Amino acid sequence: MSYDLDRIKTMLPEYLERSGIGITKRAASHVECHCPLHQDGTPSFAADLVAGVWLWKCWPCGVGGTVIDLHADKNGISRSCHDAIKGTAEVLGIPDNGKSLPPMTTDQRRARAAMNAAQNAERLEQENAERITDALKGRRVDILAPFLSSSWRADFWDDSPTILDGPVEDDARLFIRGLFNPEDVLWLGDQFDSGEASHAENFRTACKWLRLGNLPPRIAPGIFKSGVISRSDSNLIRSPFIVIESDDLIGHKPTDDNEREENKRLCAALICLCRDRLKLTLRAVIDTGGKSLHGWFDRPSDDALKALLSISQGLAIDKGVVTRASNPLRLPGCVHKTTGRKARLHFLNSNTF
Ligand SMILES: [Zn+2]
């Protein structure tokens, strides 16, 4: 015999009702009624839903417990005997799983085996990821060391296939022209410009954006369906890029200019590692004007992306930014509120020629 005890313990109000005990006060997680255990002139029986379990208490009786305890006390049987559970379940009409359920069919058994296998695989993967993360954390400095450069700005600038010697005001246009096709529908706007009818104007084709005088401060890396108003994942039709960044490569969030600069130097090394060691195709590097760099890369194969995600935590890569093509990221020229500095484009490898 086996009963779903967790379920039974969520059903105290139903038990009271099924036992003909009128509930005198009822809220989502609190009920009161006349105590079924003593001659109760005023309702002194109260129960609260605590962490998914209904627990009752009667002050005059000086006792309390779960619905099973109530059934036991009410029927004068031991709280710990099986009849207490069985009796409660019968009042509630809950079947005895061990007895009343029909045997599993072959398909059900296969489905359960597949589910168990998937859960095991997931657990192994999780354990593996934790091991990798721990190993990488301890060696992060060593891993990044070969890619560190004090002249990372000049290095990116020298390496950039597109010559970036214009004013910062031109950067956003170069960036959009270099990475997107003219007919791609892009979201540009302020961080929260999404979800209302008026936000339809935040979704325009790249060529329409390029005709505007002043561009908004942020862009989402994905390509959207036309006619949408919300920057949600379900409105994306393509996610051609992934974006690598880290806010705390120095071990914590930078708080002053020196720390911000050091975090960016480490971000530059991280981006070079992804390009040179992991062989990802680097499209753009943006200095956000704050504490980090954004490395825009071509979205790699699913396997390569999975491998990257498995090391992301160990390398302090912001996992949410990597794959979410609907994130509002800083466009070059965007002014950073903390530092007052403008985001700058340091590298551009156009894919639209
Ligand atoms: Zn009582």
Side-chain angles (χ1 to χ4, degrees):
M1 273 184 281
S2 69
Y3 291 96
D4 187 344
L5 288 180
D6 290 340
R7 185 172 162 218
I8 288 174
K9 288 177 188 171
T10 66
M11 297 180 75
L12 178 65
E14 288 87 341
Y15 179 91
L16 295 171
E17 280 165 352
R18 281 171 179 255
S19 306
I21 300 158
I23 292 174
T24 54
K25 193 170 173 186
R26 179 196 290 271
S29 55
H30 179 83
V31 295
E32 290 174 15
C33 61
H34 291 279
C35 178
L37 304 177
H38 78 276
Q39 288 292 331
D40 195 9
T42 55
S44 39
F45 181 99
D48 291 287
L49 184 60
V50 181
V53 174
W54 279 98
L55 296 173
W56 60 272
K57 177 109 193 159
C58 174
W59 291 106
C61 291
V63 289
T66 67
V67 63
I68 298 165
D69 300 327
L70 176 64
H71 181 82
D73 293 1
K74 194 164 157 284
N75 292 282
I77 55 178
S78 161
R79 285 182 169 203
S80 57
C81 76
H82 191 77
D83 281 350
I85 298 170
K86 186 165 176 267
T88 313
E90 278 169 7
V91 172
L92 288 167
I94 289 179
D96 176 351
N97 289 333
K99 203 164 64 182
S100 57
L101 287 183
M104 276 198 284
T105 65
T106 311
D107 280 351
Q108 283 170 330
R109 213 171 289 131
R110 279 200 193 115
R112 176 183 277 201
M115 197 176 72
N116 286 344
Q119 280 170 350
N120 280 340
E122 202 174 308
R123 188 172 45 78
L124 280 176
E125 205 166 292
Q126 177 79 22
E127 285 170 7
N128 207 19
E130 281 163 14
R131 246 196 320 275
I132 292 172
T133 299
D134 287 344
L136 286 176
K137 264 186 192 156
R139 294 182 50 228
R140 194 185 295 157
V141 175
D142 296 337
I143 292 167
L144 291 178
F147 303 96
L148 274 174
S149 165
S150 53
S151 59
W152 58 267
R153 285 185 175 83
D155 298 344
F156 280 135
W157 197 76
D158 284 343
D159 287 346
S160 177
T162 300
I163 295 170
L164 301 171
D165 57 359
V168 62
E169 287 70 27
D170 294 347
D171 280 1
R173 276 189 181 68
L174 276 176
F175 176 80
I176 292 172
R177 199 173 290 125
L179 263 59
F180 298 97
N181 296 308
E183 297 312 315
D184 288 344
V185 174
L186 306 176
W187 174 92
L188 269 69
D190 267 314
Q191 200 160 1
F192 302 108
D193 290 345
S194 171
E196 286 168 28
S198 63
H199 298 140
E201 66 181 31
N202 292 92
F203 295 85
R204 305 175 197 221
T205 58
C207 69
K208 281 193 179 147
W209 281 120
L210 289 170
R211 273 187 234 129
L212 285 186
N214 282 320
L215 290 176
R218 288 171 185 263
I219 185 170
I223 318 289
F224 290 86
K225 297 171 191 165
S226 64
V228 300
I229 58 164
S230 163
R231 182 172 45 68
S232 71
D233 285 351
S234 59
N235 284 335
L236 289 165
I237 52 171
R238 238 158 25 89
S239 307
F241 305 108
I242 61 168
V243 179
I244 307 260
E245 82 150 342
S246 175
D247 278 348
D248 53 3
L249 270 173
I250 57 169
H252 57 270
K253 305 261 183 219
T255 53
D256 61 27
D257 272 354
N258 283 337
E259 288 187 349
R260 277 192 277 270
E261 190 56 28
E262 180 58 9
N263 199 62
K264 283 198 268 201
R265 195 169 77 96
L266 289 164
C267 268
L270 178 64
I271 289 168
C272 291
L273 178 147
C274 291
R275 179 187 65 182
D276 302 339
R277 177 84 57 84
L278 305 182
K279 305 295 179 198
L280 300 179
T281 303
L282 181 60
R283 289 295 171 194
V285 176
I286 294 172
D287 177 343
T288 60
K291 51 189 173 288
S292 70
L293 306 181
H294 287 172
W296 286 58
F297 292 86
D298 280 351
R299 177 172 288 261
S301 70
D302 287 350
D303 283 346
L305 186 57
K306 207 170 159 195
L308 174 67
L309 290 173
S310 73
I311 61 170
S312 64
Q313 207 184 339
L315 291 177
I317 296 172
D318 186 338
K319 215 169 177 175
V321 178
V322 176
T323 51
R324 284 210 63 202
S326 56
N327 264 341
L329 303 178
R330 289 168 200 282
L331 259 182
C334 162
V335 177
H336 198 286
K337 285 198 180 75
T338 314
T339 62
R341 296 198 183 101
K342 282 182 178 171
R344 292 229 58 170
L345 187 59
H346 287 300
F347 177 96
L348 182 63
N349 174 18
S350 173
N351 63 351
T352 56
F353 292 125

